Amino acid sequence: MHTLDVSLGERSYPIWIGRDLLNNLEGVQPFLKRPRAVVVTNDRVAPLYLEQLLAALKAAGISASSVVLPDGEAYKNWTTLNQIFDALLSAHAERSTTLIALGGGVIGDMTGFAAATYLRGVPFIQIPTTLLAQVDSSVGGKTAINHPLGKNMIGAFYQPRLVLADIGTLDTLADRELKAGLAEVIKYGLIRDLSFFEWLEANIERLLMRDAEALAFAVERSCRNKAEIVAADETEQGERATLNLGHTFGHAIETGLGYGVWLHGEAVAAGTLMAAELSRRLGWLTREDFARIGRVFERAGLPVKGPGMGAARYLELMAHDKKVADGRLRLILLKKIGQACIHAEAGEEEIAAAIEVCSE
């Protein structure tokens, strides 16, 4: 097992990365206020890992119940969130009760938001079971639900007590979900870690083949990048915003098509190419840089063009983005491969042109 730390003073917490971590949870109890927990999962993950987790918690001396939600981005809303609150209230959960998120990014986000708001705050633990959640959404304390007008628009910054990433859960991950997670892995190389991007160029097929050593390295390297950024900028006032490379365009795709039609990582992949094309038009990337980025996403089996909704529709949806400040859209672009920047000076015509080139 590898351990990383997210350094946030009194709210610091570890990330555990390894195989078969779900089978031995003796070390988890110190992260609970009391040995009582409620596991939140979905109807896709529950048949695979819920009984195993409950048995391991019991063996560790922790009493736990569970709530099983419907699976999918389409259910990341108030109605489903209330199912968590219903279960907590019915079980008389107290402020010392720990919530445990067992699942992908949707489950992690909703469980974290429930933990931030139930009784004005209860502890929670992340046990991510998808690649995307292990390398990105489980770390950093962003919690949210979607709104019909925008993705992740209602939420809170609320840090977990522990992130436990069992690489073994990736064995049961659907190929499409694995590929979607690779979009976030590639992102770290593009925004700040050139040597990692070069490693990905050489090893992307190993990841697609679920090579255990390659997956463990990619998860650890991604989490290390994420932990460093979060420790420096917890509430996204500066550097943390660069983690949103491709996300402003990608969220427009998800919202415009309807949540769940494209997976988050698929939308981010196409959005990253739009950001790269805009960076090229601004004179920061060369044509070869753009092609190089596209090749990695293509080899990962990810889309490099977004759906043809029309640039005007993209811009309309992007106007609701969380990074809009003083009426100006702040985009995450690339000065070069391995160096991202926050840019608020791009004109609508330039943005629209990049969208048109990178959409079908």
Side-chain angles (χ1 to χ4, degrees), residues 202-272:
N203 291 277
I204 200 76
E205 282 76 21
R206 290 177 64 198
L207 294 172
L208 290 170
M209 292 172 62
R210 302 173 195 254
D211 179 276
E213 182 182 2
L215 280 171
F217 176 80
V219 171
E220 182 181 3
R221 186 69 166 254
S222 299
C223 286
R224 189 177 299 278
N225 275 294
K226 180 76 178 276
E228 290 174 359
I229 292 173
V230 170
D233 179 22
E234 180 182 4
T235 57
E236 204 170 286
Q237 303 303 305
E239 183 187 7
R240 184 167 181 176
T242 62
L243 290 167
N244 293 307
L245 176 68
H247 285 58
T248 299
F249 298 100
H251 287 171
I253 292 171
E254 291 182 86
T255 305
L257 294 181
Y259 298 122
V261 176
W262 278 37
L263 296 180
H264 175 65
E266 294 168 341
V268 166
T272 299

Side-chain angles (χ1 to χ4, degrees), residues 87-136:
L88 296 175
L89 289 165
S90 297
H92 303 286
E94 302 170 354
R95 281 181 173 161
S96 58
T97 302
T98 297
L99 302 191
I100 299 177
L102 175 69
V106 172
I107 286 294
D109 275 15
M110 288 200 298
T111 304
F113 190 32
T117 50
Y118 181 70
L119 298 179
R120 298 186 177 91
V122 299
F124 87 109
I125 289 171
Q126 289 269 21
I127 303 183
T129 60
T130 67
L131 180 60
L132 190 147
Q134 289 184 0
V135 302
D136 188 64

Side-chain angles (χ1 to χ4, degrees), residues 165-234:
D166 189 332
I167 303 297
T169 61
L170 302 182
D171 294 344
T172 57
L173 192 63
D175 286 344
R176 186 184 176 194
E177 294 275 1
L178 182 75
K179 293 172 183 177
L182 288 175
E184 297 285 4
V185 174
I186 295 166
K187 172 191 73 179
Y188 291 109
L190 289 173
I191 65 172
R192 75 191 306 261
D193 194 343
L194 176 60
S195 64
F196 185 39
F197 182 78
E198 292 169 343
W199 181 89
L200 289 167
E201 288 182 303
N203 291 277
I204 200 76
E205 282 76 21
R206 290 177 64 198
L207 294 172
L208 290 170
M209 292 172 62
R210 302 173 195 254
D211 179 276
E213 182 182 2
L215 280 171
F217 176 80
V219 171
E220 182 181 3
R221 186 69 166 254
S222 299
C223 286
R224 189 177 299 278
N225 275 294
K226 180 76 178 276
E228 290 174 359
I229 292 173
V230 170
D233 179 22
E234 180 182 4

